[in-house]
Amino acid sequence: MSQPKRIFLNPPHQSGGEQQWLAKVLESNYLAPVGPMLHEFEEALGRALRRGDPECGPLNDPQDVWAEKGDGAHRGDKTILPIALNSGTSAIHLALRLIGVQRGDVVLCQSMTFAGSTFPINYLGAEPLFIDSSAGSFNMDPGLLEQAIIDCIHEGRKPKAIIAVHLYGFSYDITRIHQIARAYDIPIIEDAAEALGSVYGGKSCGTFGDYGVLSFNGNKIITTAGGGALLVTDPDLRERALYLAQQAKSPADHYHHREVGYNYRMPSLNAALGCAQLQTLEQRLSQKKEIHLRYQELVKSYNGIEIYSLTTLFKEVEHVHENEQAQAHEHEHEYQPNHWLNILILDSKYCTLTPS
């Protein structure tokens, strides 16, 4: 009996320019995780994180691959410095190392997320403390976050970091969560693995936290086949992250290591794929939005079925405390998701479908 055709969740979409970019790497023979293509991808990614900025020109043509431009994504008076890595999980791990998370420390993270957001906490022997989602949202509840911080401090275990996730491309409540983090002086690792192209208040998701994380896995908005990036603003931190991501080798002619490092740098061939993919980022975001709107229109014909959207989120806010409701609506216009995936919400009063 023939098997039904498998429908993939979000298969990769090639831009058409991948072979040209890959040829550049093959011609250069920089096949290891080093070389000009890595620099070019990081520069192009920095410009992509400035989407909407009129001073940011188009992404480079492959002929410009060896150019030194020094661009970056600007956040106020700071420049976001991307570091191309082999996964988003590696980026979170490095961020935790840079913060100084150690065995026994508490790291706050959200309960509804992919395991890659939390496994790095365990790598370091720290304890993940899970925060539930807000009403109508998949993301971290600011009120529960603050209560968890207060409880930990009363126990003499102030959290070392917060990992906040923009799940499915919908930004978490950046305004309130970052206010809370600043009030208690706790750094935020902003997991934007699923949110490249999402915008909040005119700024790209991934550029708000003390550290930002992106993923370019095969199912993301753009892909490098496998890969991710760590986003920092301090050049010294960037050098420290690169040192750890390249086996923590001391600057010497022989192999000398003073601490544990990792083989986390992105290979140049993957970076070439990323350069090609970034050239069609705006097209992908437009297509994703069109698909989202089409699904929203289609489900109107059915009782008990809804496509999760910003309308869903702010409809649920009506049921929470009046002050929280006012705060949420104040920032409603600032949310611009990338519509990476479409989430089906089923009302059990009308629909008997189950996940099984």
Side-chain angles (χ1 to χ4, degrees):
M1 185 174 67
S2 62
Q3 295 292 323
K5 182 180 178 181
R6 184 176 179 183
I7 299 175
F8 292 96
L9 182 64
N10 191 44
H13 293 274
Q14 294 189 38
S15 70
E18 281 81 4
Q19 292 188 14
Q20 188 179 7
W21 285 93
L22 288 168
K24 281 288 184 181
V25 179
L26 296 174
E27 290 168 10
S28 73
N29 205 36
Y30 277 104
L31 304 183
V34 67
M37 190 60 76
L38 268 175
H39 170 80
E40 179 64 19
F41 175 61
E42 289 168 344
E43 295 291 314
L45 181 59
R47 289 191 296 280
L49 291 169
R50 293 175 59 196
R51 59 185 297 264
D53 183 345
E55 296 181 1
C56 179
L59 299 181
N60 286 353
D61 183 89
Q63 301 304 319
D64 300 327
V65 71
W66 312 119
E68 297 283 338
K69 294 189 173 57
D71 282 338
H74 297 285
R75 184 185 68 186
D77 59 349
K78 296 182 179 179
T79 299
I80 300 297
L81 305 171
I83 305 164
L85 302 170
N86 61 5
S87 72
T89 304
S90 299
I92 292 175
H93 188 198
L94 286 181
L96 291 169
R97 277 289 308 267
L98 293 172
I99 290 170
V101 172
Q102 300 178 9
R103 182 171 298 278
D105 286 337
V106 173
V107 176
L108 303 175
C109 53
Q110 61 194 54
S111 58
M112 188 169 182
T113 185
F114 180 62
S117 291
T118 60
F119 280 158
I121 302 170
N122 299 107
Y123 297 168
L124 296 170
E127 177 188 345
L129 183 59
F130 295 97
I131 310 299
D132 281 341
S133 302
S134 300
S137 167
F138 301 107
N139 291 323
M140 185 180 289
D141 184 300
L144 295 177
L145 170 66
E146 183 165 26
Q147 187 58 56
I149 293 171
I150 293 169
D151 291 345
C152 286
I153 291 174
H154 285 169
E155 295 170 3
R157 304 175 68 207
K158 180 182 175 181
K160 200 67 179 279
I162 299 166
I163 302 176
V165 186
H166 303 292
L167 204 64
Y168 305 130
F170 285 87
S171 60
Y172 61 79
D173 191 338
I174 291 173
T175 300
R176 295 181 61 207
I177 285 179
H178 285 249
Q179 286 173 348
I180 292 166
R182 286 193 298 270
Y184 294 93
D185 192 26
I186 301 173
I188 285 184
I189 300 172
E190 183 186 356
D191 184 347
E194 301 173 359
L196 179 63
S198 297
V199 173
Y200 182 88
K203 298 178 184 178
S204 292
C205 289
T207 67
F208 290 89
D210 298 274
Y211 302 87
V213 171
L214 297 172
S215 172
F216 311 116
N217 192 26
N219 64 0
K220 298 301 190 293
I221 287 282
I222 70 153
T223 183
T224 58
L230 177 64
L231 310 176
V232 299
T233 59
D234 185 333
D236 291 335
L237 276 180
R238 187 178 193 276
E239 289 304 310
R240 170 69 176 160
L242 283 171
Y243 166 75
L244 292 173
Q246 298 174 117
Q247 302 285 24
K249 181 179 177 297
S250 298
D253 293 334
H254 58 288
Y255 290 102
H256 186 72
H257 304 265
R258 298 181 183 275
E259 59 184 312
V260 173
Y262 316 98
N263 188 16
Y264 279 174
R265 200 73 162 110
M266 178 184 285
S268 290
L269 285 167
N270 297 78
L273 289 174
C275 287
Q277 292 268 301
L278 278 172
Q279 290 187 309
T280 58
L281 175 59
E282 292 297 332
Q283 178 186 354
R284 293 285 172 262
L285 293 170
S286 177
Q287 291 170 330
K288 288 288 187 182
K289 186 173 182 179
E290 288 177 9
I291 292 169
H292 175 74
L293 294 174
R294 191 187 317 150
Y295 279 148
Q296 279 193 307
E297 192 63 30
L298 285 171
V299 299
K300 289 179 181 178
S301 303
Y302 303 91
N303 288 328
I305 299 179
E306 183 181 358
I307 297 295
Y308 183 83
S309 66
L310 291 178
T311 302
T312 313
L313 172 60
F314 290 103
K315 180 175 65 177
E316 289 296 329
V317 169
E318 303 290 347
H319 303 296
V320 301
H321 191 274
E322 183 178 347
N323 290 339
E324 293 184 356
Q325 175 185 332
Q327 285 180 312
H329 282 296
E330 180 184 348
H331 300 288
E332 181 175 358
H333 66 284
E334 298 183 331
Y335 289 79
Q336 295 179 41
N338 64 1
H339 303 295
W340 173 55
L341 293 180
N342 285 287
I343 313 303
L344 201 63
I345 300 175
L346 306 178
D347 188 333
S348 59
K349 292 187 296 184
Y350 299 94
C351 188
T352 58
L353 290 175
T354 66
S356 59

